[in-house]
């Protein structure tokens, strides 16, 4: 009897292993994501997830951070800066890795979206336009906070030597942001009035507005002929300047032209 009991328990154990040996319901394979239109939309929505939250502007590094004013509510991180209660190691608005992860996701979407036969060509184009807009916008946010950054213009494998990638010049970063906006604009709608579910997503006016903000930043005194950056270089050989130290009136003309295009679009 004991022998039969052992055999029976062994069979039950094997049966239990087979029952448990399956893919969890919440685990999605690459194939599952890129062949299902709902999953593709979820992936695109995740690309939006890195956008700064309003949160009463508490996470905004620019609000109230100035010598001539202060926000006395300690919930705002800029209060500590104005008080001098910070140092290079202070955990303050660290967005570098957050934005680069989102940028990588936009490349992944572009590479794989054609695998989804359930999506119409028009939706595929729009999704790609949204991804390109987000990529450019994240680079604008990076440049606004960090100055010149590393321009990743394609989806590199995990084995890529990211540690030895050099930052691009500030003008190159601005040019790439404008390039992303120009590439996204023809693929996006003017608005989502006929599709309320799309409210908050990238549009043509949003592309032009981000391009205008980027060009205005490039034309500002901080980045247009600022002699404080004269001895800053992006390479050890000191051949690639941190930023162009020569003032250029042409940058203001570009910014003005971009601003005019936003105004004209609003008037239409």
């Amino acid at each position: 009897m004991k022998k039969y009991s052992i055999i029976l328990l062994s069979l039950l154990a094997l049966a239990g292993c087979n029952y448990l040996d399956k893919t969890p319901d919440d685990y999605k394979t690459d194939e599952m994501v890129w062949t299902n239109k709902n999953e593709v939309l979820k992936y695109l929505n995740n690309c939006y997830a890195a956008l700064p939250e309003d949160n009463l502007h508490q996470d905004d590094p620019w609000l109230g951070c100035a010598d001539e004013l202060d926000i006395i509510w300690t919930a705002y991180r800029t209060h500590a800066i104005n008080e001098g209660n910070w140092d290079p190691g202070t955990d303050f608005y660290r967005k570098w890795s957050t934005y680069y992860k989102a940028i990588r996701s936009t490349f992944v979407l572009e590479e794989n979206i054609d695998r989804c036969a359930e999506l119409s060509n028009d939706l595929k184009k729009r999704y790609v336009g949204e991804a390109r807009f987000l990529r450019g916008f994240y680079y604008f946010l990076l440049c606004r906070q960090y100055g010149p950054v590393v321009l990743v213009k394609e989806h590199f494998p995990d084995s890529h030597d990211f540690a030895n990638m050099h930052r691009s010049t500030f003008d190159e970063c601005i040019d790439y942001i404008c390039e992303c906006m120009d590439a996204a604009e023809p693929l996006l709608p003017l608005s989502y009035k006929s599709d309320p579910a799309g409210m908050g997503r990238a549009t043509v006016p949003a592309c032009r507005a981000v391009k205008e903000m980027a060009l205005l930043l490039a034309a500002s005194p901080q980045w247009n002929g600022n002699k404080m950056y004269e001895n800053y270089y992006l390479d050890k050989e000191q051949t690639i300047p941190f930023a162009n130290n020569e003032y250029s009136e042409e940058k203001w003309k570009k910014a003005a032209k971009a601003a005019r295009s936003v105004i004209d679009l609003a008037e239409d």
Side-chain angles (χ1 to χ4, degrees), residues 58-69:
Q58 291 178 28
D59 294 327
D60 189 335
W62 328 113
L63 187 67
C65 187
D67 294 332
E68 66 271 22
L69 59 91

Side-chain angles (χ1 to χ4, degrees), residues 176-248:
Y176 186 64
I177 293 168
C178 294
E179 180 183 321
C180 287
M181 295 304 151
D182 289 341
E185 183 176 322
L187 307 177
L188 296 172
L190 284 172
S191 72
Y192 292 91
K193 289 182 179 179
S194 60
D195 180 18
M199 295 299 290
R201 310 188 81 87
T203 60
V204 171
C207 287
R208 295 193 185 183
V210 173
K211 181 176 179 179
E212 187 277 330
M213 288 191 296
L215 290 172
L216 185 61
L217 181 63
S220 69
Q222 181 181 4
W223 296 107
N224 190 4
N226 189 347
K227 298 300 182 182
M228 290 181 64
Y229 299 142
E230 195 167 13
N231 296 317
Y232 286 77
Y233 297 90
L234 297 175
D235 58 334
K236 294 179 180 179
E237 294 75 24
Q238 297 189 349
T239 59
I240 305 175
F242 187 78
N244 193 331
N245 301 314
E246 298 299 323
Y247 173 79
S248 172

Side-chain angles (χ1 to χ4, degrees), residues 1-258:
M1 183 67 182
K2 183 177 180 182
K3 178 170 126 179
Y4 291 118
S5 297
I6 293 174
I7 294 174
L8 180 60
L9 288 171
S10 299
L11 290 172
L12 288 172
L14 289 173
C17 289
N18 290 333
Y19 175 75
L20 294 173
D21 187 18
K22 70 171 189 176
T23 303
D25 294 336
D26 61 347
Y27 178 80
K28 294 181 175 64
T29 63
D30 189 67
E31 188 67 19
M32 291 168 62
V33 171
W34 299 113
T35 57
N36 183 290
K37 64 179 182 180
N38 294 325
E39 295 298 332
V40 173
L41 180 58
K42 289 179 182 177
Y43 192 95
L44 175 59
N45 290 342
N46 189 59
C47 294
Y48 278 90
L51 291 175
E53 296 182 14
D54 182 49
N55 194 28
L56 292 176
H57 297 287
Q58 291 178 28
D59 294 327
D60 189 335
W62 328 113
L63 187 67
C65 187
D67 294 332
E68 66 271 22
L69 59 91
D70 186 21
I71 296 176
I72 61 174
W73 190 15
T74 57
Y76 287 81
R77 297 186 181 185
T78 49
H79 174 74
I81 289 183
N82 289 341
E83 290 288 312
N85 298 325
W86 64 298
D87 57 47
T90 301
D91 185 7
F92 179 76
Y93 203 72
R94 293 185 179 179
K95 294 292 185 178
W96 182 274
S97 61
T98 300
Y99 291 150
Y100 272 109
K101 287 177 183 177
I103 289 170
R104 180 182 184 276
S105 295
T106 65
F107 284 117
V108 174
L109 183 137
E110 277 200 67
E111 288 180 355
N112 291 279
I113 195 168
D114 283 334
R115 295 166 59 182
C116 187
E118 295 181 358
L119 283 174
S120 66
N121 288 332
D122 286 342
L123 265 183
K124 287 180 181 179
K125 289 180 180 179
R126 198 194 87 189
Y127 287 0
V128 169
E130 291 182 57
R132 291 176 180 175
F133 166 83
L134 288 170
R135 186 183 309 147
F137 187 46
Y138 288 133
Y139 270 121
F140 167 72
L141 294 176
L142 282 166
C143 289
R144 186 178 67 169
Q145 183 171 352
Y146 298 104
V149 297
V150 178
L151 284 180
V152 180
K153 297 184 179 181
E154 59 182 290
H155 177 206
F156 290 116
D158 294 340
S159 59
H160 187 77
D161 187 11
F162 293 100
N164 288 316
M165 291 186 69
H166 297 290
R167 290 193 294 174
S168 299
T169 66
F170 191 78
D171 287 344
E172 288 173 337
C173 292
I174 296 299
D175 288 344
Y176 186 64
I177 293 168
C178 294
E179 180 183 321
C180 287
M181 295 304 151
D182 289 341
E185 183 176 322
L187 307 177
L188 296 172
L190 284 172
S191 72
Y192 292 91
K193 289 182 179 179
S194 60
D195 180 18
M199 295 299 290
R201 310 188 81 87
T203 60
V204 171
C207 287
R208 295 193 185 183
V210 173
K211 181 176 179 179
E212 187 277 330
M213 288 191 296
L215 290 172
L216 185 61
L217 181 63
S220 69
Q222 181 181 4
W223 296 107
N224 190 4
N226 189 347
K227 298 300 182 182
M228 290 181 64
Y229 299 142
E230 195 167 13
N231 296 317
Y232 286 77
Y233 297 90
L234 297 175
D235 58 334
K236 294 179 180 179
E237 294 75 24
Q238 297 189 349
T239 59
I240 305 175
F242 187 78
N244 193 331
N245 301 314
E246 298 299 323
Y247 173 79
S248 172
E249 187 175 344
E250 187 63 27
K251 290 184 177 181
W252 283 110
K253 292 180 180 179
K254 287 183 178 180
K257 183 179 179 180

